[in-house]
Every structure is written in C-alpha cells, then in structure tokens.
C-alpha cells in the first residue's frame, strides 16, 4: 500500500510551497506522532533562539520516531507546523528545512499555524505528524 499524494491540476501548485493538497491512504496502520520540538535526548534545547536550527531538530526527532517503526517521510499523511509569533518572513526559515526532510518524496499536506506560545518559552517551533504504515 502506498500513500497517494493528491495535487489536482485545477488547483494551485502546492508542492512548490512544500505541501500536497491531500493524501489518500488505504489499509495500513496509523501512527499519530506527538508534536516534536527542539529537544535533544537529554531535554537540552537545540538552537536556542534559532528558528531554522529548531526546525531541523524537530524534524530529526520526527524522523527518529518514524524509524522506530520502520517508516520514513513517505509514510507521513499529515503534518502540522506551529511557529511562535509567526510572520511571513518565517516561512523562508522553516519551509526549506521541511523540504530537506522530505528529500525526493512529494510532501504530505501541511498546515502552518502561528501561535502565541508553545509548552516552554524557548520553543520556537513544534511539528506534529500522522503517518500510515503498510
């Protein structure tokens, strides 16, 4: 079973913005990943004050969880990205990291949300995902 990315030609090119319009999944098991932040294994903040570095760490943490069950970015069917005090210029800091995370895989749908704060004041970004695994 493969997760099929849906990007209708009659809609704008969402992939160039780093996300698909939808994913169709049939069968498989669903993995709900908690929002990941820029903590390392010992709960140290990686990239204090640096949104790009924190985004890379949050995505690395997602990758670690996916690998634990033999999955990868191609299994993700939904991403949600929460950014503290969002402004449009922050897209240029976060979206390239998400693009690197997906590599050659067409990205899953992503909702990009600006929030006032996250669980701790040092967190600048939190990324959560849903994946479907064969």
């Amino acid at each position: 079973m493969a997760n099929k990315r849906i990007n209708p030609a009659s809609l704008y090119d969402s992939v160039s913005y780093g996300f698909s319009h939808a994913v169709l999944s049939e069968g498989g098991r669903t993995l709900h990943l908690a929002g990941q932040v820029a903590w390392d294994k010992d709960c140290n903040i990686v990239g204090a004050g640096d949104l790009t570095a924190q985004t890379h760490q949050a995505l690395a943490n997602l990758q670690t969880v996916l690998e634990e069950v033999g999955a990868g970015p191609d299994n993700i069917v939904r991403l949600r990205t929460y950014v503290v005090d969002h402004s449009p210029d922050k897209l240029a800091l976060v979206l390239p990291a998400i693009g690197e995370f997906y590599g050659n895989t067409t990205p899953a749908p992503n909702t990009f949300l600006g929030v006032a704060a996250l669980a701790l004041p040092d967190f600048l970004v939190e990324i959560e995902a849903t994946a479907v695994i064969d």
Side-chain angles (χ1 to χ4, degrees):
M1 185 233 37
N3 297 313
K4 181 180 177 187
R5 273 45 173 167
I6 309 297
N7 291 296
S10 60
L11 290 177
Y12 65 92
D13 178 17
S14 63
V15 173
S16 67
Y17 292 99
F19 68 96
S20 289
H21 286 284
V23 171
L24 178 62
S25 297
E26 295 181 25
R29 298 173 294 146
T30 303
L31 177 68
H32 300 273
L33 291 85
Q36 294 296 317
V37 295
W39 265 353
D40 66 11
K41 182 179 179 182
D42 299 316
C43 298
N44 296 309
I45 192 83
V46 174
D50 183 336
L51 180 58
T52 301
Q54 287 199 21
T55 301
H56 280 286
Q57 183 64 40
L59 291 166
N61 292 347
L62 281 178
Q63 181 70 33
T64 298
V65 176
L66 289 166
E67 289 173 354
E68 185 71 16
V69 295
D74 58 319
N75 294 102
I76 293 176
V77 297
R78 187 76 164 121
L79 203 67
R80 286 175 191 82
T81 305
Y82 303 90
V83 176
V84 173
D85 296 327
H86 173 63
S87 58
D89 58 305
K90 292 183 179 180
L91 290 168
L93 302 174
V94 174
L95 294 181
I98 292 173
E100 289 174 28
F101 171 73
Y102 280 111
N104 292 328
T105 300
T106 301
N110 182 13
T111 300
F112 198 100
L113 301 160
V115 295
L118 293 167
L120 295 176
D122 288 337
F123 297 153
L124 302 177
V125 62
E126 184 168 336
I127 305 172
E128 68 176 75
T130 305
V132 175
I133 302 155
D134 298 341

